[in-house]
């Protein structure tokens, strides 16, 4: 029984009525009193159970750190009669709701809201894996969280998870739609580019066909013209044959005359060719002579006289060769 309930009962009992008798309590007053006492006991029990749950969780964490490796399950069974799952629930409850250290970042749990939770509610809230998301959920439901049953709380958490899952599904769907839209746009651009190239190729092919047609028309015209010339040549050949048959002697004289003219031209061309060769060699020799003379002027005196004598000897030999050629 809470101190407030005890104080209320003591106050009622301490007020005597005239004649030393207490007034009779009505049924309505009795029900009101009993309801208050029950609610006070419930609150006291809830607070006691919450505190016990958190303190047990804190001590389990300390015990696990001290138990040798591999002996945790055995120690729980033999020492406190807890399963590993129950122990983990109690430790997780303390880590989430019993740690009073303030967070520097992220959502923080309201201590007043935490103080109103019972054990079942704390266990249900552990299904929210993220502590920050748990704090956000508690903040959203802080006005009615303390009055929610375990089933109502589990339902609200399930609806939250489904809403988040649907939101994530919707987000992924939007991303997929966005990716699909981008692929469609890219494919559309590729098709437009392909169509542009095909159009250009079609125009080019059409132009090439037109050029080929023009070329074929030109060739057909040339073939027609050649056929015409061939027919004319054939007629001329027939006429020439007739003339040759009629004038064999004149044709033979004409051929002899042409051959004589050709021989005369070839002889004249040969003489002109020899003359040109002589001029070319003469110019080359004159150039070499001038170069040799310039080289002499740049020599030392003793070298100059020696090479000048050599040049003179060579020129004398050349004069002798020229004279012999003239005599021949």
């Amino acid at each position: 029984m809470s101190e407030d309930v005890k104080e209320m009962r003591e106050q009622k009992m301490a007020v005597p009525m005239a004649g030393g008798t207490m007034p009779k309590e009505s049924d309505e007053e009795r029900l009101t009193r009993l309801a208050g006492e029950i609610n006070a006991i419930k609150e006291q029990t809830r607070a006691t159970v919450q505190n016990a749950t958190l303190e047990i969780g804190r001590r389990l964490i300390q015990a696990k750190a001290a138990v040798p490796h591999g002996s945790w399950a055995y120690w729980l069974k033999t020492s406190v009669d807890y399963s590993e799952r129950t122990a983990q629930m109690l430790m997780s409850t303390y880590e989430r709701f019993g740690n009073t250290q303030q967070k520097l970042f992220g959502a923080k749990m309201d201590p007043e809201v935490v103080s109103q939770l019972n054990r079942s509610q704390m266990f249900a809230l552990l299904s929210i894996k993220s502590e920050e998301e748990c704090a956000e959920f508690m903040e959203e439901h802080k006005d009615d969280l303390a009055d929610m049953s375990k089933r109502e709380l589990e339902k609200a958490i399930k609806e939250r998870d489904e809403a988040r899952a649907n939101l994530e599904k919707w987000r992924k769907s939007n991303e997929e739609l966005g990716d699909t839209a981008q692929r469609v746009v890219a494919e559309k651009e590729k098709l437009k580019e392909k169509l542009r190239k095909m159009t250009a190729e079609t125009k080019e092919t059409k132009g090439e066909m037109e050029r080929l047609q023009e070329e074929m028309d030109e060739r057909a015209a040339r073939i027609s013209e050649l056929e015409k010339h061939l027919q004319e040549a054939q007629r001329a050949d027939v006429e020439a044959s007739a003339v040759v048959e009629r004038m064999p002697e004149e044709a033979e004289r004409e051929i002899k005359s042409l051959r004589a003219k050709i021989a005369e031209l070839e002889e004249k061309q040969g003489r002109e060719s020899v003359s040109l060769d002589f001029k070319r060699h003469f110019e080359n020799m004159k150039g070499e002579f001038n170069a040799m003379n310039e080289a002499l002027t740049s020599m030392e005196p003793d070298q100059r006289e020696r090479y000048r004598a050599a040049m003179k000897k060579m020129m004398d030999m050349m004069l002798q060769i020229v004279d012999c050629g003239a005599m021949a």
Side-chain angles (χ1 to χ4, degrees):
M1 184 179 299
S2 67
E3 297 296 329
D4 295 337
V5 174
K6 289 181 180 179
E7 185 177 354
M8 291 172 60
R9 296 188 64 182
E10 289 173 355
Q11 288 177 355
K12 287 185 177 182
M13 294 175 64
V15 181
M17 299 297 292
T21 59
M22 293 290 293
K24 186 177 180 181
E25 186 179 33
S26 66
D27 291 342
E28 184 178 355
E29 291 174 338
R30 181 178 299 172
L31 291 174
T32 301
R33 174 178 58 78
L34 292 174
E37 292 175 356
I38 292 170
N39 288 329
I41 295 171
K42 284 174 57 181
E43 177 60 25
Q44 184 180 22
T45 302
R46 184 202 61 75
T48 301
V49 172
Q50 185 198 67
N51 183 66
T53 301
L54 297 175
E55 288 300 319
I56 291 173
R58 181 171 68 86
R59 285 167 175 78
L60 284 172
I61 292 173
Q62 295 173 354
K64 188 174 184 180
V67 171
H69 181 70
S71 302
W72 178 236
Y74 176 78
W75 184 88
L76 287 173
K77 184 65 178 177
T78 58
S79 300
V80 294
D81 195 23
Y82 278 157
S83 66
E84 287 190 77
R85 182 177 183 278
T86 300
Q88 185 59 49
M89 288 286 290
L90 292 167
M91 291 188 293
S92 298
T93 301
Y94 173 75
E95 289 173 343
R96 178 165 296 185
F97 302 106
N99 191 357
T100 57
Q101 182 179 0
Q102 294 294 320
K103 296 173 62 177
L104 296 178
F105 305 100
K108 302 176 182 179
M109 293 187 182
D110 188 346
E112 184 177 351
V113 177
V114 173
S115 67
Q116 298 175 6
L117 298 175
N118 59 38
R119 177 172 173 166
S120 297
Q121 290 172 329
M122 290 189 296
F123 283 178
L125 289 169
L126 288 178
S127 62
I128 303 176
K129 301 304 181 183
S130 169
E131 183 176 342
E132 185 171 344
E133 292 181 5
C134 182
E136 292 175 354
F137 177 85
M138 292 171 61
E139 181 64 24
E140 292 174 1
H141 298 82
K142 65 180 180 179
D143 295 333
D144 54 355
L145 184 60
D147 298 328
M148 295 175 70
S149 65
K150 180 182 178 182
R151 181 174 296 180
E152 291 172 340
L153 186 56
E154 290 175 344
K155 181 181 179 182
I157 294 173
K158 183 179 179 181
E159 290 174 351
R160 165 198 172 273
D161 293 340
E162 290 176 352
R164 284 176 171 263
N166 290 333
L167 180 62
E168 181 65 17
K169 184 178 179 181
W170 177 81
R171 185 186 62 80
K172 289 183 178 180
S173 178
N174 278 353
E175 289 180 356
E176 292 175 357
L177 288 174
D179 294 340
T180 302
Q182 290 180 356
R183 289 195 298 269
V184 169
V185 171
E187 188 65 23
K188 181 180 178 181
E189 292 299 323
K190 289 181 180 179
L191 290 174
K192 287 173 65 178
E193 180 64 17
K194 187 175 181 180
L195 179 61
R196 186 190 64 78
K197 290 182 179 179
M198 290 177 64
T199 302
E201 291 174 357
T202 301
K203 290 181 179 179
E204 184 177 354
T205 303
K206 183 178 179 181
E208 185 66 22
M209 291 178 65
E210 291 176 352
R211 288 193 295 272
L212 288 174
Q213 186 63 43
E214 292 177 357
E215 185 176 349
M216 289 176 64
D217 293 341
E218 291 178 357
R219 289 184 178 181
R222 287 199 297 270
I223 290 172
S224 178
E225 185 177 356
L226 289 173
E227 288 177 346
K228 182 179 179 181
H229 289 326
L230 179 60
Q231 292 175 357
E232 293 176 353
Q234 289 175 349
R235 286 196 299 270
D237 186 49
V238 171
E239 294 175 356
S241 298
V243 171
V244 169
E245 290 177 357
R246 289 194 305 269
M247 301 174 58
E249 294 180 358
E250 293 181 3
E252 187 176 353
R253 285 197 299 271
E254 185 67 23
I255 290 171
K256 288 181 179 179
S257 175
L258 288 173
R259 286 177 177 174
K261 288 182 180 180
I262 290 171
E264 183 180 354
L265 288 172
E266 288 178 349
E267 182 180 359
K268 183 178 180 181
Q269 186 176 7
R271 289 196 301 270
E272 289 179 353
S273 176
V274 171
S275 177
L276 290 173
D277 288 341
F278 177 81
K279 288 180 180 180
R280 178 168 54 81
H281 291 305
F282 181 79
E283 292 296 331
N284 289 338
M285 186 179 70
K286 187 168 64 173
E288 291 295 330
F289 177 79
N290 291 333
M292 292 171 64
N293 192 31
E294 290 179 0
L296 284 173
T297 58
S298 61
M299 292 181 181
E300 296 295 332
D302 55 344
Q303 288 182 332
R304 188 184 307 157
E305 290 301 325
R306 187 169 63 252
Y307 282 103
R308 181 176 292 155
M311 281 182 64
K312 184 177 180 182
K313 183 176 180 180
M314 182 184 68
M315 292 177 68
D316 291 340
M317 291 176 65
M318 289 173 66
L319 287 173
Q320 291 179 3
I321 292 170
V322 172
D323 290 340
C324 290
M327 290 177 65

